[in-house]
Amino acid sequence: MRPEIIPFPPVTARVDALNARYRHHSAISVLGQALSDSDTGAVAMVSSFGAEAVVLLHMVSILDRTTPVLFIDTEMLFAETITYQREVAAHLGLRDTRVIRASRTTIAAHDPDGDLHQSDPDACCALRKTQPLHHALAPFDAWITGRKRYQSGTRAKLDFFEAEGTARIKINPLAHWRPEDVRDYMVENRLPRHPLVVQGYPSIGCAPCTSKVAEGEDPRAGRWRDTEKEECGIHFVDGKPVRAPLRQVS
C-alpha cells in the first residue's frame, strides 16, 4: 500500500500560518524561526549593504553565519558601498556572501552606454537588479529583506511574512521597527555605519539615482528624487511586481 502523499501548502497559506504563528515575536525571534521553519524552506538573505542593512546582517551573523547573503552589484553603486560591503561581511564573519551582477551580454544588449537610468529608470532597475536577483533566488523558497513599515507608503501595512506571487515567501523581520529602534540597535552593538550616512544619505541606492536629503525631509526623499518612483522593482506591492520590462533592442 502506497503511503499517502500530503500536498505541500501553497505560498499564501504558508504566509498566513507564519504570520499567525509569529505575530507577537521579536525581530530576532522571527528571523531565527524563519531560518529553521519548514514552512519557509530554503532561505537566503538579500542585502543592499546600505544605511541600515548592518542590523539584519548582524542578526544573521549571530543566528547562522552560513546563511547565503545575496548582494546585488548594479555596477552603478557608490564606491563607498562596495568597500562597506566587503568590510562588513568580513567584520561579521559572514561565510556565504554572493555578489550578483547582470551578465555582460545583457548589459551590452540593453544598456551599452550606461545611460538607461536617465531615460527609463524602471527598465534600468529591471536590467541591473530585478532580473539578476530573480535568477539568483531560483534555488530558494524564501528570502529575508530589511524593509520596514515607516520607510514609505507602499510599505505601511507590511507583515513579517508576505507572498511573492506563488513562487516564494519574503521575510521582513524588521517590519514593525521604528527609526529609533534601528539607531539603538546599531549603537548598542557597536556596528559600523555606512560612511555616506554622515554625509547626508540616510537611504542609499545607485549613485546616479541617489541624492542627499535635507534636514526634515523624508529619509527616502533622495531616492529617484522628483519622480513618482518609490521602489527599485525587486519588491511586490499588493502581489504585483513594481517594475517595467526591459526596453527591446531594435
Side-chain angles (χ1 to χ4, degrees):
M1 184 175 180
R2 293 183 178 180
E4 180 184 0
I5 298 176
I6 301 175
F8 197 62
V11 167
T12 52
R14 284 183 281 136
V15 162
D16 289 343
L18 288 162
N19 277 321
R21 196 176 305 151
Y22 303 120
R23 187 169 303 280
H24 302 296
H25 283 234
S26 66
I28 196 163
S29 175
V30 167
L31 180 57
Q33 296 293 342
L35 289 172
S36 59
D37 197 301
S38 61
D39 274 341
T40 56
V43 180
M45 179 179 180
V46 176
S47 179
S48 67
F49 284 80
E52 299 175 346
V54 73
V55 169
L56 266 183
L57 291 165
H58 180 257
M59 290 183 181
V60 165
S61 75
I62 293 172
L63 295 166
D64 184 359
R65 292 183 178 181
T66 67
T67 301
V69 177
L70 311 184
F71 169 63
I72 309 171
D73 179 6
T74 63
E75 300 180 282
M76 289 192 167
L77 299 175
F78 289 95
E80 290 88 343
T81 298
I82 299 298
T83 300
Y84 183 68
Q85 182 269 317
R86 294 170 181 158
E87 292 177 347
V88 167
H91 176 73
L92 297 178
L94 300 172
R95 298 177 185 172
D96 189 7
T97 303
R98 308 178 188 183
V99 180
I100 311 301
R101 300 184 182 93
S103 73
R104 302 295 84 207
T105 301
T106 304
I107 293 292
H110 296 283
D111 192 15
D113 299 320
D115 57 2
L116 181 58
H117 65 277
Q118 297 177 3
S119 60
D120 195 340
D122 284 334
C124 185
C125 286
L127 170 67
R128 295 177 179 272
K129 298 185 76 170
T130 309
Q131 292 193 357
L133 179 61
H134 175 75
H135 292 304
L137 284 173
F140 299 99
D141 302 299
W143 56 293
I144 303 159
T145 91
R147 292 183 304 154
K148 309 162 195 71
R149 288 186 172 190
Y150 72 78
Q151 288 176 320
S152 71
T154 59
R155 303 178 180 185
K157 297 181 179 180
L158 199 65
D159 282 325
F160 284 137
F161 301 89
E162 61 180 322
E164 185 177 72
T166 59
R168 202 171 287 108
I169 292 173
K170 285 199 294 191
I171 306 162
N172 311 302
L174 305 182
H176 302 284
W177 276 32
R178 300 164 298 174
E180 52 266 36
D181 296 324
V182 176
R183 289 194 297 268
D184 290 347
Y185 187 94
M186 294 180 73
V187 170
E188 290 168 6
N189 291 281
R190 300 179 180 179
L191 299 178
R193 301 293 302 272
H194 193 298
L196 290 179
V197 171
V198 296
Q199 297 182 36
Y201 296 88
S203 181
I204 303 162
C206 292
C209 300
T210 305
S211 58
K212 292 185 178 182
V213 173
E215 186 175 351
E217 279 193 299
D218 184 283
R220 287 178 64 87
R223 304 291 294 278
W224 306 287
R225 187 179 289 280
D226 300 325
T227 74
E228 295 182 359
K229 186 173 173 64
E230 291 186 38
E231 298 278 357
C232 63
I234 66 173
H235 297 294
F236 285 65
V237 176
D238 295 329
K240 297 179 181 179
V242 184
R243 64 172 181 263
L246 290 176
R247 181 177 60 190
Q248 296 300 311
V249 178
S250 57

